[in-house]
Amino acid sequence: MKSLKTLLLAGLSLMAFTTVYAQEEEEVETDLTTLQFVDADGNVIADGATVNFAPTDPEETPGGFEIKPGIFVENLTDEPVYTAAQVNITAMSSGSLMCCFPANCYNKFELEEFTTDPSEPIKAKAKHSLNTEWYAEAYGSCTASFQLKIYEETLAPGQPTKVLRANGPKITVNFIYNDPASINGVSNDGAKAVAFYNANGQQINNLQKGLNFIKYSNGKTVKTVIK
């Protein structure tokens, strides 16, 4: 049986290895000049931004109602760039989140963090869809962050490999599936919604998961809960 000293040394060696690995991860630089997020019209989505997407008429599919934001990743350079996305799902009221960026698909039903495979490069000066959809089974929302990872291709003996070079921009996306009547502001007497507020009384752009208040043009305020 191994002595306590031997086990202790092995544990210290493992700790040292883990520390070095963590330091290497922390030392990866941030590069905001190679890739950027843009919307369908080509408008830049700044690093650190939060985007709310709440379509009024989402497409119904066998997996639920498809909430698909029009977000693209643009290559700003004159060379192809290998990239992937580190996705962190922090809230999901129902259904699943599918991310197929840049090519391979990952369909997740739980809150988790994962990184896609940099299997295909984005061509020089080209845009590539983020290829992500939330399949909602009921009214509610899903929140996920997307951190771009930038890789370099190196030739190892026998096969090409991709090495992480830098972290690209990061954004947070709120996928929202609202009651169309609430979005369109249809009340019993035909009044239109003019403002939305959260449980703390702060004005928001769209209905969010939890308690919301809708103010109508006739002066009435209606409480609603999004699950």
Side-chain angles (χ1 to χ4, degrees):
M1 184 173 68
K2 294 183 178 180
S3 67
L4 179 60
K5 181 178 180 181
T6 302
L7 292 173
L8 179 60
L9 289 174
L12 290 174
S13 298
L14 178 59
M15 289 175 62
F17 175 79
T18 302
T19 301
V20 171
Y21 179 80
Q23 288 175 344
E24 289 176 352
E25 285 292 315
E26 291 174 359
E27 290 171 0
V28 174
E29 66 178 3
T30 298
D31 180 356
L32 302 180
T33 63
T34 299
L35 301 172
Q36 65 182 9
F37 289 105
V38 297
D39 64 18
D41 296 321
N43 300 310
V44 177
I45 303 173
D47 175 46
T50 297
V51 179
N52 295 327
F53 187 77
T56 56
D57 188 22
E59 180 180 353
E60 187 172 3
T61 69
F65 291 90
E66 184 182 74
I67 314 298
K68 184 176 182 179
I71 296 177
F72 297 80
V73 176
E74 182 177 13
N75 180 0
L76 301 173
T77 73
D78 295 321
E79 300 291 337
V81 173
Y82 280 96
T83 183
Q86 182 178 1
V87 184
N88 186 14
I89 308 171
T90 56
M92 187 160 56
S93 58
S94 68
S96 66
L97 182 77
M98 178 179 287
C99 180
C100 300
F101 179 81
N104 297 341
C105 292
Y106 302 77
N107 196 23
K108 302 295 182 178
F109 294 83
E110 304 288 343
L111 305 185
E112 64 176 285
E113 185 174 19
F114 62 96
T115 302
T116 63
D117 181 25
S119 55
E120 295 182 7
I122 299 179
K123 297 178 180 179
K125 300 294 185 181
K127 297 182 182 71
H128 192 293
S129 174
L130 188 58
N131 281 339
T132 300
E133 302 90 28
W134 173 45
Y135 294 98
E137 296 176 347
Y139 298 139
S141 64
C142 173
T143 299
S145 63
F146 298 85
Q147 168 91 64
L148 295 180
K149 299 287 184 177
I150 302 170
Y151 295 83
E152 287 183 347
E153 188 176 40
T154 61
L155 294 179
Q159 62 179 359
T161 60
K162 300 175 184 69
V163 178
L164 179 63
R165 177 177 68 80
N167 292 321
K170 178 180 180 180
I171 61 172
T172 299
V173 180
N174 292 320
F175 305 79
I176 303 168
Y177 178 33
N178 288 331
D179 183 347
S182 297
I183 297 173
N184 296 327
V186 179
S187 64
N188 292 335
D189 58 2
K192 295 183 178 181
V194 295
F196 303 101
Y197 299 89
N198 60 22
N200 296 321
Q202 300 169 321
Q203 188 167 356
I204 54 179
N205 294 326
N206 300 283
L207 297 181
Q208 299 178 354
K209 183 180 180 181
L211 180 62
N212 298 262
F213 295 90
I214 306 172
K215 184 177 180 179
Y216 290 91
S217 57
N218 60 6
K220 292 182 179 180
T221 298
V222 176
K223 179 174 68 175
T224 184
V225 176
I226 302 298
K227 296 182 179 180

